[in-house]
Amino acid sequence: MSPGPGAASAPAPDHRATSTSLFSSLKVRNYRIFFLGGTVSNTGTWMQRIAQDWLIHTLTGSAAAVGITMALQFLPMLLFGLYGGVLADRLDKRKLLLCTQSAMGLTGLALAALTLSGQVNEYHVYALAFVLGLVTVVDNPARQTFVHDMVGPHLLRNAISLNSANFQSARIVGPAVAGVMISAVGSGWAFLFNGLSFLAPITALLLMRTAELNSVERAPRGKGQLRAGLRYVGSRPELFWPIVLVTFVGTFGFNFPIWLVAFTDQIFQADAGTYGLLNTLMAIGSLAGALLAAKRGSSRMRFTVLVAGLFGVLLMTAAAAPFFLVFAALMVPIGLVGMTFIITANTSLQLASSPEMRGRVISLFMMVFVGSTPIGGPLLGWVTDAFGARVGLLTGGLFCAASALTVALILARLGGLRVRIDPRRGRHAVRFVPRDADAGTPDAAPPGPGVPQAAGPTAEGAAPAEEAGKAESTGEPAGGTGAGRAPHSRSTTPRE
């Protein structure tokens, strides 16, 4: 499987496309082998996730312990996430990924050895979760931004969506296999499979033709790079407001290991097989959301806010589900809407970021999304233990819906808009219009310059600031035809 003679000197191919099909990015050789390697590793990742959640719940009998495990795994992202972004901006991403993927495989093998030998306890699980989190600090921004290096800006949205579809396909297979494996032979074998599965992405990275990677300017080593990244995000509304919204939705909305374990055990009195089934149903919805995102054109900030609100409403509906079949059926739309939100925020941030800042922007995105787990995990775990699974899930949904509504109103105010309620207008009964508009004016004027147009849910066209960010990323003038927009999933994550 040699790259072939002349590969080292071959120029990087031009992946600019006039139109994007569902699998356009797979035409790029480097991305194709990266995608195939990830398929194997992602299956192992989901098997370990299910096995780890069930193992810690078995060892302690506590939903809060599951939350603590999540918190320890993602605490490093909260504390050190921006440093990972700086490294991704400075260093060769391919070599960086070879190191991080090897280290993640070793953590899986270590947990397998402890479990299969019968020596495992909750503190082993906590410690290895924390070590895995430390590695993820560097792996996540490097892996997310390496996609741009493989396919370029014009296929970026498609490639990110396919990555999510890949991960969610594994999420369908992994939990189902893990549920059967845990019931039959125990959690240890799932950990062993995950550790060995990292051989696939490592092999893919080694087989890549480095000359075909898109040349990206690396950030020079210097002082104040973390502060520069924060100032950069704070000065650009098309970056700042999606990250604010991701912070709240990530903290309160993506705590499914806690809620699904609690519903399986407390509400439905079922076993690991049912827990795996619920995760599989959610993965089916997430896969559908990822595939729809791969075909979708550019999106606006108003779409991201709308999806976040809908996600919160679905969580509240699931909390009130009277029967198992209703609850299970709701996992599909929850997965679809949640994945659409993740992809939309991820891709729009990458396209709106300049190349030398992209690693820090994505590391901030991952820090507030994945790194919020140390706050949301224990908090929602305590609420679930103290007041029950339904109250815990309802609380998460309320916070997501409220945060989406709050961000929408803030954006509207910044854009010089106000809410107009007119029941005579049918489905347009609630509209955003200019604050100084006459009562009889039917349409809202566009917001002022520099304010994201997404603030007005009925506005047409992309925000001027968003277009400017895209132009900086793609090299096209604002309003051009470049690609626009878009988790595991906490890794891979929902959380991805």
Side-chain angles (χ1 to χ4, degrees), residues 164-189:
S164 297
N166 184 339
F167 191 77
Q168 299 309 321
S169 298
R171 189 180 177 187
I172 295 172
V173 177
V177 174
V180 173
M181 187 175 290
I182 293 169
S183 299
V185 294
S187 301
W189 293 100

Side-chain angles (χ1 to χ4, degrees), residues 12 22 45 91 100 116 134 139 147 149 164 183-184 222-223 244 247 253 262 318 325 365 376 382 412 417 424 459 467:
L22 182 59
T45 295
L91 304 177
T100 59
L116 292 173
L134 288 173
D139 182 80
V147 175
D149 295 0
S164 297
S183 299
K223 294 182 178 180
V244 169
T247 301
L325 290 179
F365 165 74
W382 173 79
L417 305 176
R424 295 172 299 176
E467 290 293 345

